[in-house]
């Protein structure tokens, strides 16, 4: 009657308006997520996976440097996380944007260990195997595109994802932001410019047109046939078993182990010529019945089957095949000793993260290997093979400190084995700053020759790469490792050796910056690990 505002009516109008706005924003994709979160509809979740699998897999492939198997692992993990967080995902977050950020996060965790050791020949070969594309813009931007997108603010990232990754037209982009096509065009243009600046800071200069072409080329290619079904099944299974405590948020992705070619060949010869054994245990477990090898088994084929079983959620079968491969692969193909101690253990680690019995099995293998290493009556040859296995599993678990602890014990109790097994612990000793211990066992000439061989191998394999960062990799890796060797020799009062190696390295690569680095190294300055 007195024309004063009625607070109750105002609140009701705000409530109704907010509800209408939420209804307007409930896109078909959101509805699928809601159906899964509220009703447990697996059909809705599988449809959601089918809609976004191409986008996630493409981003994962770029972030994994073209490693197809690793990209599939990333993709599977991302959708498992979506299944787990479906009920708590903010209504303000777009599904595409959330999935992209999750992909970047998962890939970063998975790749961290590998990037720290890019000096290894295996990684150089993987870099050379990156998908080459005739489009120069794509070749420049592919390795760092997702990383730069992830640095944009939420609004700009949302605009890029809608326009180029989810293939929305400008009207749909405008609707998502509550504006029209013209406003959407301006928003996308501003976001592109910010993205271009971020790329420039990383050394990649592209015009606006070239950046649009690159985004259009890399957004969402088709994922491998059958991957969507495998990912859906695995993600739903993982979400249903989060109460076991072994969740994807509490366990890290196992990193690929390092590959020391000279030492690996020596171990292979050791197994064949002397009968020294790599750790093999008697596995009379219930999973053993899940796999019977054919009459003439192909270890590589069985390893691939184990990967496929892991991706499809057939964990018991995957474990049986991984155990068979670990214990029998060298009997049929001795040349696979490198695969056995590197990529095979990495894939075993991925399974262990998802399947507790596999985790127990891998830890049991490590325990058996350590027992052999610490056996005071054991011989050097068998101990060397066991220490190789022990250190490789530690790298898979990212527990290199255990390798250092064991090597310190060897130094005190079994110096002969420590000298023989040093090649499997040298990087870990440097990272742990055990410089004096490193200096007691390093052979400067042998170590330097390995660096030179690796330098020439990687330089040759990457010389045709269209990616500038890949072409620069051999020089930067060699300079860092050579300077580190010189510095550690100087720290250990082996100045004559330090000066001699520095002279050789300067002749190998006569670069002003490198020469300055070598002078600092001769005075005992250890460079920061690269990359």
């Amino acid at each position: 009657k007195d024309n004063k505002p009625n607070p109750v009516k105002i609140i009701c109008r705000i409530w109704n308006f907010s509800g209408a706005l939420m209804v307007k924003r409930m896109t078909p994709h959101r509805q699928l997520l809601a159906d899964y979160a509220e009703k447990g509809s697996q059909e809705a979740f599988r449809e959601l996976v089918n809609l976004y699998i191409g986008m996630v897999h493409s981003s994962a492939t770029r972030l994994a440097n073209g490693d197809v198997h690793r990209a599939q692992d990333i993709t599977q993990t991302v959708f498992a996380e979506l299944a787990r967080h479906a009920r708590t995902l903010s209504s303000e977050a777009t599904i595409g944007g959330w999935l992209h950020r999750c992909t970047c996060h998962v890939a970063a965790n998975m790749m961290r260990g590998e990037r720290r050791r890019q000096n290894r020949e295996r990684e150089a070969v993987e870099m050379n195997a990156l998908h080459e594309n005739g489009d120069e813009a794509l070749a420049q931007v592919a390795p760092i595109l997702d990383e730069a997108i992830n640095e944009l603010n939420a609004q700009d990232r949302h605009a890029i994802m809608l326009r180029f990754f989810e293939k929305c037209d400008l009207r749909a982009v405008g609707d998502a932001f509550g504006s029209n096509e013209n406003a959407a065009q301006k928003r996308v243009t501003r976001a592109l410019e910010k993205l271009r600046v971020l790329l420039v800071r990383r050394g990649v200069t592209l015009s606006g047109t070239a950046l649009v072409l690159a985004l259009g080329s890399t957004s969402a290619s088709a994922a491998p046939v059958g991957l969507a079904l495998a990912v859906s099944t695995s993600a739903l299974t993982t979400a249903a078993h989060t109460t076991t405590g072994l969740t994807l948020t509490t366990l890290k992705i196992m990193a690929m182990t390092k590959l020391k070619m000279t030492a690996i060949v020596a171990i292979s010869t050791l197994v064949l010529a002397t009968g020294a054994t790599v750790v093999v245990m008697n596995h009379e477990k219930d999973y053993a019945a899940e796999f019977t090898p054919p009459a003439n088994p192909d270890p590589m084929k069985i390893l691939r089957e184990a990967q496929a079983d892991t991706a499809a959620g057939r964990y018991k079968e995957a474990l049986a095949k991984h155990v068979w491969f670990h214990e029998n692969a060298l009997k049929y193909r001795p040349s696979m000793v490198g695969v056995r101690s590197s990529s095979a253990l990495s894939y075993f680690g991925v399974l262990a993260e998802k399947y507790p019995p596999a985790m127990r099995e891998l830890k049991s293998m490590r325990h058996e290997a350590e027992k052999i290493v610490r056996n005071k009556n054991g011989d050097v040859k068998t101990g060397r093979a066991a220490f190789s296995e022990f250190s490789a599993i530690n790298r898979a678990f990212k527990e290199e400190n255990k390798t250092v602890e064991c090597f310190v014990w060897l130094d005190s109790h079994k110096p002969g084995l420590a000298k023989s097994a040093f090649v499997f612990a040298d990087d870990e000793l440097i990272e742990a700053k055990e410089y004096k211990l490193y200096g007691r066992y390093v052979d400067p000439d042998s170590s330097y020759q390995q660096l030179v061989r690796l330098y020439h191998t990687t330089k040759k394999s990457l010389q045709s790469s269209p990616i500038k960062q890949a072409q620069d990799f051999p020089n930067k890796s060699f300079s860092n490792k050579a300077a580190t060797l010189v510095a550690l020799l100087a720290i250990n009062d082996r100045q004559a050796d330090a000066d001699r190696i520095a002279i050789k390295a300067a002749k190998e690569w006569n670069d002003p910056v490198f020469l300055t680095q070598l002078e600092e190294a001769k005075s005992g300055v250890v460079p920061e690990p690269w990359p």
Side-chain angles (χ1 to χ4, degrees):
K1 295 179 181 179
D2 53 7
N3 294 324
K4 289 182 179 181
N6 187 323
V8 176
K9 289 185 178 180
I10 292 175
I11 291 173
C12 288
R13 288 177 181 174
I14 294 174
W15 181 268
N16 291 336
F17 176 77
S18 299
L21 187 59
M22 290 302 294
V23 171
K24 180 180 179 181
R25 289 184 177 179
M26 183 64 77
T27 63
H29 296 189
R30 264 286 175 184
Q31 187 61 57
L32 290 171
L33 186 63
D35 288 345
Y36 169 67
E38 297 170 7
K39 305 174 184 177
S41 172
Q42 296 188 7
E43 292 76 12
F45 187 83
R46 289 192 174 94
E47 179 63 23
L48 202 60
V49 170
N50 284 324
L51 288 169
Y52 286 100
I53 188 76
M55 184 195 79
V56 172
H57 183 263
S58 295
S59 295
T61 301
R62 292 192 298 276
L63 290 164
N65 292 333
D67 187 328
V68 176
H69 297 296
R70 193 175 291 270
Q72 292 185 12
D73 291 337
I74 294 171
T75 302
Q76 182 171 299
T77 303
V78 167
F79 282 102
E81 290 292 276
L82 178 63
R84 290 183 59 245
H85 291 92
R87 292 176 176 82
T88 59
L89 193 64
S90 169
S91 60
E92 297 300 318
T94 63
I95 297 175
W98 187 93
L99 286 171
H100 185 263
R101 295 191 71 182
C102 186
T103 303
C104 291
H105 176 72
V106 170
N109 287 339
M110 182 178 292
M111 299 298 291
R112 186 174 293 117
E114 184 177 3
R115 286 172 179 165
R116 293 173 61 194
R117 297 182 178 90
Q118 287 183 340
N119 63 311
R120 300 190 298 276
E121 185 172 279
R122 174 187 57 76
E123 292 162 320
V125 173
E126 289 176 351
M127 288 178 66
N128 192 43
L130 284 168
H131 296 295
E132 295 187 0
N133 193 296
D135 187 342
E136 184 178 353
L138 173 59
Q140 291 184 65
V141 78
I144 56 176
L145 176 62
D146 298 272
E147 182 181 311
I149 291 175
N150 208 34
E151 285 193 17
L152 293 170
N153 63 44
Q155 295 293 316
D156 292 331
R157 185 171 56 250
H158 187 187
I160 293 291
M161 297 302 300
L162 287 173
R163 186 73 178 98
F164 298 102
F165 287 77
E166 298 189 36
K167 302 297 185 183
C168 294
D169 57 27
L170 290 174
R171 175 178 294 179
V173 174
D175 289 342
F177 283 99
S179 60
N180 55 32
E181 290 185 43
N182 290 335
Q185 178 67 66
K186 293 178 181 179
R187 184 181 291 275
V188 170
T189 300
R190 287 195 300 268
L192 283 170
E193 180 57 25
K194 292 178 182 179
L195 178 59
R196 193 184 68 81
V197 171
L198 289 173
L199 292 171
V200 169
R201 292 175 183 171
R202 288 168 169 76
V204 176
T205 303
L206 295 175
S207 66
T209 302
L211 179 56
V212 169
L213 290 174
L215 284 168
S217 300
T218 61
S219 56
S221 55
V225 176
L227 181 59
L229 178 59
V231 164
S232 300
T233 302
S234 177
L236 291 167
T237 301
T238 302
H241 290 83
T242 54
T243 55
T244 62
L246 191 68
T247 65
L248 292 172
T249 57
T250 58
L251 287 175
K252 298 180 180 179
I253 299 295
M254 303 301 176
M256 293 286 283
T257 61
K258 68 180 178 180
L259 181 59
K260 298 285 190 71
M261 293 305 298
T262 303
I264 291 297
V265 171
I267 289 293
S268 180
T269 304
L270 182 70
V271 172
L272 290 173
T274 70
T277 58
V278 185
V279 181
V280 174
M281 296 185 296
N282 182 23
H283 299 278
E284 295 183 358
K285 307 290 180 75
D286 59 348
Y287 55 74
E290 299 297 325
F291 174 65
T292 301
N296 187 24
D298 179 351
M300 182 56 74
K301 181 180 178 181
I302 292 172
L303 179 60
R304 289 170 180 160
E305 289 177 358
Q307 290 177 261
D309 288 337
T310 299
R314 298 186 293 269
Y315 297 146
K316 186 178 288 189
E317 294 92 330
L319 176 55
K321 291 173 183 177
H322 272 300
V323 170
W324 182 93
F325 180 90
H326 194 78
E327 296 184 348
N328 298 282
L330 301 185
K331 298 176 184 177
Y332 297 94
R333 291 180 62 179
S335 61
M336 295 191 69
V337 64
V339 174
R340 179 183 180 274
S341 65
S342 57
S343 56
L345 276 177
S346 175
Y347 300 141
F348 202 153
V350 172
L351 172 63
E353 176 184 312
K354 302 170 182 177
Y355 189 48
M359 177 69 76
R360 292 193 293 270
E361 191 67 31
L362 201 53
K363 288 186 175 180
S364 179
M365 289 178 182
R366 179 172 67 177
H367 177 69
E368 291 297 319
E370 186 174 14
K371 282 175 58 179
I372 294 173
V373 171
R374 292 180 182 267
N375 181 2
K376 293 184 178 181
N377 298 321
D379 63 273
V380 170
K381 294 177 181 179
T382 302
R384 174 185 167 94
F387 189 86
S388 168
E389 181 138 320
F390 176 69
S391 62
I393 296 176
N394 286 336
R395 283 189 293 273
F397 283 124
K398 296 184 180 179
E399 294 179 354
E400 289 89 342
N401 61 301
K402 293 184 181 295
T403 300
V404 175
E405 291 171 2
C406 187
F407 192 85
V408 170
W409 183 89
L410 288 178
D411 176 57
S412 300
H413 297 83
K414 302 177 72 174
L417 177 54
K419 181 178 180 180
S420 179
F422 169 73
V423 67
F424 302 112
D426 53 355
D427 286 347
E428 286 80 356
L429 292 174
I430 293 174
E431 291 179 10
K433 300 188 185 304
E434 290 281 355
Y435 297 152
K436 291 295 184 181
L437 187 57
Y438 177 94
R440 282 204 291 274
Y441 292 97
V442 65
D443 180 340
D445 294 301
S446 175
S447 296
Y448 177 72
Q449 287 305 316
Q450 288 185 33
L451 287 178
V452 171
R453 285 195 293 270
L454 182 60
Y455 175 51
H456 289 298
T457 299
T458 55
K459 196 170 185 178
K460 181 178 179 180
S461 65
L462 297 175
Q463 63 185 359
S464 61
S465 173
I467 303 171
K468 187 178 185 300
Q469 291 92 329
Q471 295 175 354
D472 292 341
F473 170 79
N475 291 336
K476 292 183 178 179
S477 179
F478 172 75
S479 63
N480 181 267
K481 297 302 180 183
T484 298
L485 176 60
V486 170
L488 293 176
L489 291 170
I491 289 174
N492 283 279
D493 300 322
R494 300 171 66 173
Q495 197 62 51
D497 287 335
D499 293 341
R500 181 165 48 81
I501 297 299
I503 292 172
K504 290 182 178 181
K507 291 180 180 178
E508 190 66 44
W509 189 39
N510 188 12
D511 175 77
V513 176
F514 180 40
L515 296 180
T516 300
Q517 191 177 29
L518 284 175
E519 288 301 316
E520 295 177 348
K522 286 193 294 183
S523 63
V525 177
V526 181
E528 289 295 322
W530 184 92

